[in-house]
Amino acid sequence: MKRLWNRVLPSSLAGQLVGLILVAIVATQLFSLWLFTDERRLAMLELAGGRVVARTAALVELLDDTPVELHDQIRRAASSPLTYYWISDRPALSRSGSGATVQRIRRALIEEIGTQRQIRTQIGRNVELPRRSRHRNHISGARVSGANDSSARNRARPTRVIPLVVAMSVQLNSGRWLNMSASLNMQRGSLERVLVSVGLMAVATILIIVFTVRRLTRPLRNLAKAADQLGRGGEGSQVIEAGPREIRSAINAFNIMQERLTRYVQDRTSMLAAISHDLRTPITSLRIRAEFVDDEENRNRISATLDEMQRMVEATLAFARDEANREPQSRVDLGEFLDAIVTDYQDMGKPVRLDATPAQDGERTIVSFRPIAVKRALRNLIDNAVRYGNEAAIACSVDGDLVSITISDGGPGIPEERLEEVFEPFLRLEASRSEKTGGIGLGLAIARSNIHAHGGTLTLKNRQEGGLMAIVQLPRAAQ
């Protein structure tokens, strides 16, 4: 049910607001239509009942005051396409109906003609009347049984109505019964008008909500864009504070956080560069002093240690310089970019090959990143694959908005429990991967830092057939 709801419910704020408000509008309009229809029906009954009562009361008094031989002529003159009178020896209604409206009409008739007569009234869509005396609605195109008024039939016009019958039987002074059947026509046009009204209201609501939400969420889109740029390691830019108070407060907090974070990273990078630079002098001094050590074996060990420290300092300085002087992002054809890297290694006689790229299938994959930084990260991974796995196989694939670059080797791999540990600076696992000493332990740390700065990920995974696989995922630029 939750999955179905997530599929039906729009993902955008404007879509959700439009959907919820439309549901509310339709629900309230349907409820209002139900109330309106019921009130309209009652109002029509009250109005029609008042006219019928007055007309019937006047007809009863007229019939009581005229000779019996004129009754048929009088009742035909009183009949109309919607109200039909006839006189019979028995009442057309066997009993009076129930309901507040029926009782009000009956009381109104009693007030007009008194309580000395028998009166029966009924209201409904299917009032039971004698078959030969049923009054049928001329407006609905049916003929009136027992009526000789041909002009009334000629005036009949077919239309869509809901017939509602008001019937009465009143006893005359002669003992006979005056029967009446009046048809109230409930037009069906109301539903169409309500639907048109709801449609116009829905369209107006959608336009207003879309315009308002887009105006209100524009600052949020700018904030999301700035946060994504900051997460990719881009230059932080102040977001203009706009929109409602809550959104302005969130943008202000983001600007402050961005400023503090940028200053913190810059301070740490500057401090790291300064320490590495200052270490050059004591290392050089120790190298000179090592030359005066008489024991050749100790002198060689001290020199090797100083050389290693020198490489660590140089690597740290290079890392700090890269962080301090970041290159601008560029749109790069990833297939050509990888092919150039592999060609460089092959020219040096290194066992590096390119297995698969989207460009081989005729599709260009454009990615936005800093080429030098990404090339350095990939070179570190390729160097590790060649050094510890004797070869490097590179492949690239596209999955939606992400591109994946895999670098595989044929070495012994890394213990599963240490796959994350190897990304720590200055950590080396030569004993577990090779007997040769290699690197200073900054290659993977620098590679992951560069990839994370682009909003991507770098993970290591042991292959089932043997060897290690480095998986680099980067966001794909819009085509």
Side-chain angles (χ1 to χ4, degrees):
M1 181 63 69
K2 185 177 181 180
R3 292 181 179 178
L4 179 61
W5 176 254
N6 291 334
R7 290 181 180 178
V8 174
L9 190 67
S11 58
S12 64
L13 177 61
Q16 293 185 10
L17 286 177
V18 168
L20 293 175
I21 292 180
L22 285 181
V23 170
I25 288 177
V26 172
T28 54
Q29 288 295 322
L30 290 177
F31 182 72
S32 300
L33 176 62
W34 178 74
L35 291 179
F36 170 76
T37 302
D38 190 61
E39 291 294 332
R40 180 172 177 267
R41 183 182 65 84
L42 294 177
M44 287 190 64
L45 285 175
E46 293 289 344
L47 179 62
R51 292 200 304 265
V52 169
V53 165
R55 190 172 184 177
T56 303
L59 183 58
V60 168
E61 293 178 356
L62 180 61
L63 292 175
D64 284 341
D65 294 337
T66 57
V68 175
E69 56 271 14
L70 298 178
H71 285 185
D72 189 61
Q73 183 179 355
I74 294 174
R75 68 93 186 161
R76 283 201 305 269
S79 297
S80 69
L82 296 178
T83 304
Y84 178 64
Y85 290 96
W86 73 97
I87 300 174
S88 61
D89 295 332
R90 286 185 169 186
L93 300 177
S94 59
R95 58 183 177 83
S96 290
S98 58
T101 304
V102 174
Q103 295 301 322
R104 282 198 296 270
I105 293 176
R106 188 171 186 277
R107 285 194 299 269
L109 188 58
I110 291 176
E111 290 177 359
E112 292 288 338
I113 62 177
T115 59
Q116 297 80 13
R117 308 171 186 272
Q118 295 188 51
I119 299 174
R120 299 174 184 179
T121 58
Q122 284 190 17
I123 297 176
R125 294 183 181 178
N126 298 306
V127 177
E128 292 295 333
L129 297 172
R131 184 175 181 83
R132 60 185 300 272
S133 303
R134 287 179 184 171
H135 169 65
R136 298 186 178 180
N137 187 7
H138 283 225
I139 300 301
S140 63
R143 63 184 297 272
V144 179
S145 300
N148 296 322
D149 190 355
S150 59
S151 62
R153 290 196 299 270
N154 294 332
R155 289 194 301 268
R157 294 293 184 271
T159 185
R160 294 187 303 165
V161 296
I162 303 176
L164 189 65
V165 177
V166 177
M168 297 182 186
S169 293
V170 181
Q171 190 175 31
L172 301 175
N173 289 337
S174 62
R176 304 188 72 189
W177 290 81
L178 173 64
N179 303 294
M180 184 275 300
S181 173
S183 179
L184 306 180
N185 298 316
M186 307 288 288
Q187 300 294 331
R188 292 178 182 265
S190 299
L191 181 59
E192 285 78 2
R193 289 193 294 270
V194 170
L195 292 178
V196 172
S197 174
V198 172
L200 293 176
M201 188 180 302
V203 171
T205 301
I206 291 174
L207 294 177
I208 293 173
I209 290 178
V210 169
F211 172 77
T212 304
V213 171
R214 286 181 62 86
R215 184 178 64 85
L216 294 179
T217 56
R218 187 178 297 113
L220 289 178
R221 293 194 296 271
N222 295 335
L223 178 61
K225 183 179 180 180
D228 180 70
Q229 183 179 2
L230 181 64
R232 293 170 181 257
E235 293 294 332
S237 59
Q238 293 288 315
V239 183
I240 299 177
E241 298 183 14
R245 181 178 57 191
E246 294 80 2
I247 297 180
R248 293 199 306 270
S249 176
I251 294 176
N252 180 63
F254 173 80
N255 287 333
I256 295 175
M257 179 202 70
Q258 179 177 239
E259 181 182 356
R260 291 173 179 173
L261 183 60
T262 302
R263 186 169 61 248
Y264 171 78
V265 173
Q266 290 175 349
D267 291 344
R268 292 290 295 270
T269 303
S270 300
M271 180 183 66
L272 181 62
I275 293 174
S276 300
H277 183 272
D278 292 343
L279 283 176
R280 285 180 168 183
T281 301
I283 289 175
T284 303
S285 176
L286 288 174
R287 192 184 302 278
I288 295 173
R289 292 178 183 271
E291 296 298 329
F292 295 98
V293 176
D294 296 332
D295 189 342
E296 183 178 0
E297 182 180 356
N298 287 333
R299 184 172 63 249
N300 292 336
R301 289 182 178 179
I302 293 173
S303 297
T305 301
L306 291 174
D307 290 340
E308 184 177 0
M309 292 178 63
Q310 184 71 30
R311 289 194 300 271
M312 293 174 64
V313 169
E314 295 297 335
T316 304
L317 281 173
F319 174 72
R321 282 194 298 268
D322 288 344
E323 289 294 317
N325 303 305
R326 289 190 170 179
E327 60 178 316
Q329 291 195 359
S330 303
R331 289 172 60 85
V332 178
D333 187 322
L334 189 58
E336 296 180 358
F337 179 76
L338 295 177
D339 185 68
I341 294 176
V342 172
T343 301
D344 290 341
Y345 275 97
Q346 290 176 348
D347 291 341
M348 293 184 293
K350 298 293 183 66
V352 179
R353 68 179 187 273
L354 185 60
D355 286 344
T357 64
Q360 295 173 352
D361 299 329
E363 177 185 359
R364 298 183 62 193
T365 302
I366 306 300
V367 183
S368 179
F369 55 58
R370 293 184 290 275
I372 296 177
V374 173
K375 181 179 290 187
R376 183 180 184 187
L378 295 179
R379 283 185 177 277
N380 286 340
L381 297 174
I382 295 173
D383 288 341
N384 284 343
V386 173
R387 179 182 298 118
Y388 302 116
N390 303 320
E391 63 176 355
I394 303 174
C396 179
S397 62
V398 179
D399 183 12
D401 295 332
L402 291 177
V403 293
S404 297
I405 304 171
T406 60
I407 301 173
S408 307
D409 61 43
I414 295 177
E416 293 290 337
E417 65 274 8
R418 307 198 69 180
L419 286 176
E420 285 294 323
E421 186 180 349
V422 295
F423 289 106
E424 296 180 8
F426 305 111
L427 179 68
R428 293 180 295 178
L429 299 178
E430 298 89 356
S432 63
R433 299 193 67 188
S434 174
E435 295 180 356
K436 300 178 181 179
T437 300
I440 61 172
L442 272 180
L444 288 177
I446 294 174
R448 183 178 239 187
S449 176
N450 286 341
I451 298 302
H452 282 179
H454 289 81
T457 60
L458 169 58
T459 56
L460 299 179
K461 181 181 179 182
N462 286 313
R463 302 167 62 196
Q464 293 182 353
E465 60 272 23
L468 188 71
M469 177 187 295
I471 304 172
V472 176
Q473 287 189 323
L474 292 170
R476 184 182 183 184
Q479 296 297 318

